[in-house]
Amino acid sequence: MSEEVMTEVEDGVLIVTINRPEAKNAMSKAAAEGIAAAMDRLDSEDDLRVGILTGAGGTFCSGMDLKGFLRGESPSVEGRGFGGVVQKPPEKPLIAAVEGYALAGGLELMIACDLVVANENAKFGIPETKRGLVAAAGGVMMLPDQIPERIAMELALTGDFIDAARAYELGLINRVTSGAALDGAKELAATIAANGPLAVRVSKQVLKQSRGWPMEERYKRQTDLIAPVFVSEDAREGAAAFAEKRKPNWKGK
């Protein structure tokens, strides 16, 4: 894995850190490849339940590395898109832990995550129009799915930033911390990791996919996805653990 991305595992949580603090964690080709490799690992290793994506040195990600852009470098990975995750997020939950700035591609990286924990001093925006560019890594497409369209339009056309309080008010982020965002993200990840892994994965799948399902097919399609969960070993274990007043021993099957 690239030195521009660091990974560590804590209690079933894979922590992925963009490690380019000298460049405000601007996204490079190497960093994108490192994140893509980490996402593959998250989904392939059964012991990993949740991922956290964060940045070193007090900044989440300041966007595309413009120096690399001028050299003709694309900070994308085939099949996964910008940052190695925007077009194909992992099947397991991914939490963004945001310190400092999540701007341009950094915001697009953030909104590709399932949940967001941010420090109260964090700033968010898609300022591409200020540079004669367009937020093409999902910003102008995905942001209106997550906040009101008129607000997304304002952010896209003005390029202005919003703070953590406003982002929380809009529902763009889940939690605001006065301390380290990573600590808050770990707390949230631990709560998720304690739940049945099959149930968590399929719940995410239904939440993500069902918005595009025809209304008359929704329950049929949901049943197709969740039926295996209800007959799994984990479902029986969850019921038994509840009855016996003990912690479940999940097997992920």
Side-chain angles (χ1 to χ4, degrees):
M1 183 173 292
S2 166
E3 293 182 358
E4 296 188 4
V5 173
M6 302 184 299
T7 60
E8 59 180 316
V9 176
E10 293 185 14
D11 299 321
V13 178
L14 180 65
I15 302 168
V16 183
T17 304
I18 307 167
N19 188 35
R20 305 191 73 225
E22 75 289 346
K24 300 296 184 183
N25 296 322
M27 187 56 56
S28 66
K29 179 70 170 178
E33 291 172 344
I35 293 172
M39 297 302 101
D40 288 340
R41 179 185 176 189
L42 175 61
D43 276 342
S44 65
E45 295 186 15
D46 292 340
D47 290 342
L48 298 176
R49 303 289 178 83
V50 184
I52 295 175
L53 181 61
T54 192
T59 296
F60 180 69
C61 176
S62 59
M64 177 174 63
D65 185 342
L66 293 180
K67 292 181 180 179
F69 170 73
L70 292 174
R71 293 194 301 268
E73 179 181 287
S74 173
S76 298
V77 174
E78 185 174 357
R80 283 200 178 270
F82 179 84
V85 71
V86 164
Q87 291 181 24
K88 187 184 177 184
E91 294 180 358
K92 296 176 183 176
L94 182 63
I95 303 170
V98 179
E99 302 279 354
Y101 293 99
L103 301 178
L107 182 79
E108 293 166 316
L109 201 66
M110 184 193 87
I111 63 176
C113 297
D114 302 301
L115 301 160
V116 183
V117 177
N119 177 268
E120 61 189 357
N121 295 317
K123 296 290 189 295
F124 311 86
I126 43 175
E128 279 86 345
T129 52
K130 292 180 181 294
R131 303 167 187 157
L133 300 172
V134 176
V140 292
M141 291 190 297
M142 293 170 59
L143 200 55
D145 290 337
Q146 300 191 20
I147 62 175
E149 182 180 342
R150 292 189 188 280
I151 304 299
M153 186 74 74
E154 180 180 348
L155 291 175
L157 301 188
T158 66
D160 290 344
F161 302 167
I162 57 174
D163 60 18
R166 178 61 169 154
Y168 180 78
E169 179 183 70
L170 291 167
L172 184 61
I173 63 179
N174 296 85
R175 300 184 181 183
V176 180
T177 67
S178 56
L182 182 56
D183 290 342
K186 288 180 181 179
E187 180 181 341
L188 180 56
T191 302
I192 296 169
N195 295 332
L198 285 178
V200 167
R201 180 178 58 79
V202 174
S203 292
K204 170 180 173 174
Q205 186 178 7
V206 173
L207 276 162
K208 290 292 188 181
Q209 295 181 8
S210 61
R211 298 181 69 186
W213 294 345
M215 187 65 68
E216 64 276 10
E217 296 180 15
R218 283 189 167 191
Y219 277 96
K220 169 62 168 64
R221 293 194 184 192
Q222 176 181 258
T223 298
D224 291 342
L225 293 175
I226 69 174
V229 177
F230 279 80
V231 296
S232 68
E233 291 184 34
D234 276 359
R236 295 184 62 84
E237 170 62 13
F242 178 79
E244 297 166 11
K245 298 180 180 181
R246 60 173 173 80
K247 183 179 178 180
N249 180 25
W250 306 120
K251 295 182 179 179
K253 59 183 180 179

